Amino acid sequence: MEWLKEPEKNFPPHETLKHFNDGVCVTYIKEKSGLSQSTISTYLTNMEKCGLLISSRHGKWSYLKRNEEVIKQYLDFIK
C-alpha cells in the first residue's frame, strides 16, 4: 500500500500506458515484492475485495491503485 501511495517514486510507468492514472501494473508490484505469483495475487485480491484497491484492465494488463476515499474512511474510523 505504501508503494502505491507514490507510484512514480516506486515503479516505472508501464510501457503501454506511460502514466499512473490507472495505477501500477500488477506485474511490477509482484516483481518488486519478491513474492510468488499466487501469494501476491491473494494479497492484492483481498485488498481489492475490501475496497482498499481499485482495479482496472487494459488489454492483457491489470493495474491497481489505492482507493483513497476508503482508506480515509478507515483511518477516520480507527482514530
Side-chain angles (χ1 to χ4, degrees):
M1 292 296 289
E2 191 65 32
W3 294 336
L4 295 177
K5 191 171 189 175
E6 296 180 291
E8 61 283 343
K9 292 183 179 179
N10 294 292
F11 299 97
H14 192 266
E15 59 205 35
T16 304
L17 297 184
K18 311 277 192 235
H19 58 72
F20 294 104
N21 297 344
D22 295 312
V24 174
C25 181
V26 172
T27 301
Y28 292 171
I29 298 169
K30 181 203 148 305
E31 289 172 359
K32 184 170 178 98
S33 74
L35 299 172
S36 70
Q37 175 66 42
S38 61
T39 300
I40 196 67
S41 179
T42 299
Y43 290 158
L44 295 174
T45 298
N46 286 334
M47 286 188 272
E48 184 182 359
K49 285 180 181 178
C50 292
L52 296 172
L53 295 176
I54 299 170
S55 175
S56 61
R57 196 155 174 88
H58 295 274
K60 64 180 181 176
W61 305 105
S62 294
Y63 298 84
L64 291 170
K65 66 180 179 179
R66 290 166 48 113
N67 186 340
E68 296 298 340
E69 181 59 33
V70 169
I71 293 168
K72 181 185 179 314
Q73 290 172 3
Y74 175 72
L75 292 173
D76 290 344
F77 176 77
I78 62 172
K79 285 183 183 178

